[in-house]
Amino acid sequence: MNELQVVVDQKPGVIGFNFEEIRDELQARMDLYKNATFTDEYRVYAKNEVAALRKMKKAIDDKRKEVKNQYMIPYNDFEEKAKELMRIIDQPIGLISQQITEMEERRKAEKKTKIEALYNSLVGDLSGYLTLEKIYNARWENASMSMTAVKKELEEVLSSVRKAVSMLEAMTSDAVPEALRQYKEDLDLAGAINYVNQYEAQKAKIVEREAEKKRLEEEQKRRAEEERIRREERERIKEE
């Protein structure tokens, strides 16, 4: 589509008026009030002076508004016409943009279907640990992201999870099943290993306490037996 050029024939506006004349006269008049002091005797005069000054100020402001309104007439006319032209352009922009949005949504849906099929072909026995929703990256749907790149990222994630599961399964502990269950939930390998270590540390403390308890019980039995032997020896000596 050929680009349209907006050609505007605008002449710089000049508003002339006797600014310097009025300014100099006003300044001379206002200087008279700088050191003026009004007493009760001149109260009415003072009020009349304030009223006159306000009237003078209002007259200047009214003229400013009048000139501004006249000055803005051509601009307001141009602005309304420009807006009408933009409204005409907005109609096809909306129609075309809607179609572009729909095309993009279809493309993303098709890409997502391909990603799901790729995941299903790669996940194998890790489906219980790694659902697609858990690792899905919306960036994969970008047109700039090739399926080859998506496959590479998926394979890297799956490889990492497979190694983590193997590492946990290789640990010798009754806590491994629970650690694997936790890993399925959050894919936090460090957390799963820490759980096993804490379990084993707690188990070691229990074994240590049980061993100490057994040692004390055996010590008590030994002392009781020694005391029984000494008592029997004393009884035998008495009888002799």
Side-chain angles (χ1 to χ4, degrees), residues 137-150:
N137 191 334
R139 180 173 55 86
W140 294 343
E141 297 176 3
N142 294 342
S144 59
M145 190 77 171
S146 68
M147 287 302 297
T148 300
V150 174

Side-chain angles (χ1 to χ4, degrees), residues 186-199:
D186 55 21
L187 298 180
D188 182 3
L189 177 60
I193 292 175
N194 186 55
Y195 172 81
V196 174
N197 291 338
Q198 288 184 347
Y199 174 88

Side-chain angles (χ1 to χ4, degrees), residues 15-225:
I15 301 175
F17 74 110
N18 56 336
F19 168 71
E20 289 81 4
E21 177 187 350
I22 296 175
R23 181 194 63 192
D24 294 344
E25 185 174 343
L26 279 176
Q27 193 63 56
R29 291 187 186 184
M30 298 307 110
D31 286 344
L32 298 175
Y33 294 104
K34 284 184 178 179
N35 299 317
T37 302
F38 294 92
T39 62
D40 290 344
E41 181 181 356
Y42 292 97
R43 181 173 60 84
V44 175
Y45 174 76
K47 291 177 63 176
N48 290 336
E49 284 296 297
V50 170
L53 291 170
R54 286 177 174 164
K55 182 178 180 181
M56 186 184 303
K57 178 181 177 181
K58 183 177 183 303
I60 295 172
D61 194 45
D62 288 345
K63 180 59 68 174
R64 177 189 65 79
K65 293 177 181 177
E66 178 185 342
V67 171
K68 180 181 179 180
N69 289 336
Q70 290 298 318
Y71 194 84
M72 291 298 291
I73 286 175
Y75 170 76
N76 290 336
D77 178 65
F78 168 76
E79 181 182 45
E80 182 55 39
K81 290 176 180 177
K83 288 182 177 179
E84 181 180 350
L85 295 176
M86 289 189 289
R87 285 193 293 270
I88 294 173
I89 297 172
D90 280 340
Q91 294 177 1
I93 286 178
L95 292 173
I96 297 172
S97 295
Q98 178 62 30
Q99 293 181 48
I100 292 173
T101 299
E102 291 173 355
M103 286 188 289
E104 180 65 10
E105 289 177 350
R106 286 196 299 271
R107 185 196 64 78
K108 285 185 176 182
E110 292 171 1
K111 184 76 171 289
K112 188 172 183 179
T113 299
K114 292 179 180 178
I115 293 171
E116 290 172 349
L118 177 62
Y119 162 81
N120 290 331
S121 69
L122 296 174
V123 68
D125 59 345
L126 293 179
S127 58
Y129 290 93
L130 203 63
T131 62
L132 181 58
E133 291 74 16
K134 190 176 292 186
I135 61 170
Y136 198 85
N137 191 334
R139 180 173 55 86
W140 294 343
E141 297 176 3
N142 294 342
S144 59
M145 190 77 171
S146 68
M147 287 302 297
T148 300
V150 174
K151 181 179 180 182
K152 181 180 178 182
E153 290 192 10
L154 267 173
E155 287 175 337
E156 288 175 351
V157 175
L158 289 167
S159 176
S160 176
V161 172
R162 187 168 282 107
K163 289 177 182 178
V165 172
S166 297
M167 184 181 298
L168 289 172
E169 289 177 341
M171 298 180 77
T172 304
S173 173
D174 296 335
V176 167
E178 176 59 22
L180 287 169
R181 189 197 66 76
Q182 291 184 16
Y183 183 70
K184 285 183 181 180
E185 294 292 327
D186 55 21
L187 298 180
D188 182 3
L189 177 60
I193 292 175
N194 186 55
Y195 172 81
V196 174
N197 291 338
Q198 288 184 347
Y199 174 88
E200 289 300 317
Q202 184 66 26
K203 180 179 177 181
K205 289 181 180 180
I206 294 173
V207 171
E208 184 180 347
R209 286 197 298 268
E210 290 296 324
E212 178 63 14
K213 180 180 178 182
K214 184 176 181 181
R215 187 188 66 79
L216 292 174
E217 289 175 349
E218 291 178 350
E219 177 66 17
Q220 289 176 352
K221 289 180 180 179
R222 184 185 63 78
R223 292 179 179 178
E225 181 63 18

